Amino acid sequence: MTANATRVLVLNSGSSSLKYQLLDMHDTQSSSGSAAGRLAVGLVERIGEENSRLVHTPLATGGERRETEGAIADHTAALKAVAAELATDGLGLDSPELAAIGHRVVHGGLKFTAPTVIDDAVLAEIERLVPVAPLHNPANITGIKTAQALRPDLPQVAVFDTAFHTTMPEYAARYAIDVETADAHRIRRYGFHGTSHAYVSRKTAELLGKDPAEVNVIVLHLGNGASASAVAGGRCVDTSMGLTPLEGLVMGTRSGDIDPAVTFHLKRVAGMSEDDVDVLLNKKSGLIGLCGDNDMREIRRRIDEGDERARLAFDIYIHRLKKYIGAYSAVLGRVDAVAFTAGVGENAAPVREAAIAGLEEMGMAVDASLNAVRSGEPRLISPEYARVAVAVVPTDEELEIAQQTYALVNA
Ligand code: AMP
């Protein structure tokens, strides 16, 4: 790596999508603000279909957002198209300034507790984890192989969604099922969104002007997927997602916690297949299953019009959230802060208000006027008197992946 190689390309490959950001790590360290160091951002969606779409924004040149439609057959073609867009802006992937490519990898199992430079053995291990992450790891592997083919000389780093949660104590990570069966099939609670939980818990400590080691935080990552975590002194001690991202909070399209017997019932009584149940719980449940909408903006609009189904969906969502805040308060013993993040957490003031309402005895409260402020910056929304700080802390998984990648290749 040359001394002036300060750029990191972050790739987040989904089954039919590829999200990317090119960051200059020198600039992310020397300036603040959400756009700091971001040279280009973009997304390829509907990969493999006739109407694939590439949206590219060259932030470095202040250029206009460019959109192209047309068939992009696979991830290799998608990354090539992205490389061509970047080259148009003078940010080509052949640049000596590119230090590394950082990949979001969803499942790292127990083995990967930190970002890892990818070699054949690492790739094989990510592949071995496909049975516990069938929806995510195959796409991540494709993304890695594609990037390796494009720049075989460059370090490729895997940053795992599960890594931050590997500090969970055994009693929080194990399901209470037969130990031999669990171990034979690697069934345990792994947790996801770890990059976000790590970033947000650290930023929350920063907002409080404290060392992360001194602070206990409940992080509520509320996006279309949603998870909570209990972070004690910078280490995750519990999180709401489990073997897969299905467990825990009510999400956009996932049920979250459910009696597992519901699945037997659906198979035995409703005649549904394994795949039907999988689709029901992952894609047709949560907010969309409850009221037909998974966008919190739309749900709030319907509630304002007096829609009862939307109201009930919202109430179920909040009730689950409150249960996790209570549970993690007990797990942590002392809570210094509750941090809301991701699409819903950062934007939906009524969700924050309702989730904290009635928790005054636990030292938690939300100030209505602070809660109404719209901002992209980390901020407190609790009144001065409250014992527990309630905060909105915008997440930045790409920056976290880039920082971890850059730190590793410079170590
Ligand atoms: P994410 O997965 O973090 O991108 O979050 C996406 C979700 O955030 C959407 O499905 C919406 O429910 C929610 N969301 C985004 N913007 C807003 C907003 N302005 N108000 C309420 N909810 C929002």
Side-chain angles (χ1 to χ4, degrees), residues 221-225 294-297 342-344 347-348 374:
H221 177 110
L222 311 178
N224 197 33
N294 63 334
D295 192 312
M296 195 50 81
R297 285 163 287 202
V344 175
N347 296 298
R374 295 197 61 85

Side-chain angles (χ1 to χ4, degrees), residues 13-18 44-50 52 54 70-82 139 142-143 146:
S13 310
S15 55
S16 66
S17 69
L18 174 69
V44 189
E45 51 189 358
R46 300 194 290 266
I47 295 173
E49 294 178 36
E50 282 306 306
S52 318
L54 195 167
I72 295 179
D74 52 26
H75 281 76
T76 309
L79 190 56
K80 281 190 176 152
V82 170
T142 308
T146 304

Side-chain angles (χ1 to χ4, degrees), residues 7 10 19-20 30 48 66 78 85 93 134 162 198 242 248 267 387:
R7 291 180 187 164
V10 176
K19 290 188 206 147
Y20 62 93
S30 59
R66 301 195 291 272
E85 288 293 345
L93 297 187
T162 44
K267 282 187 262 177
R387 188 161 40 79

Side-chain angles (χ1 to χ4, degrees), residues 80-105:
K80 281 190 176 152
V82 170
E85 288 293 345
L86 288 166
T88 306
D89 305 315
L91 300 168
L93 297 187
D94 51 355
S95 164
E97 287 177 71
L98 190 60
I101 299 180
H103 297 266
R104 176 188 182 213
V105 179

Side-chain angles (χ1 to χ4, degrees), residues 229-251:
S229 69
V231 183
R235 290 165 66 86
C236 177
V237 293
D238 206 350
T239 194
S240 60
M241 285 177 166
L243 173 73
T244 77
L246 184 55
E247 192 180 343
L249 300 175
V250 176
M251 312 183 205

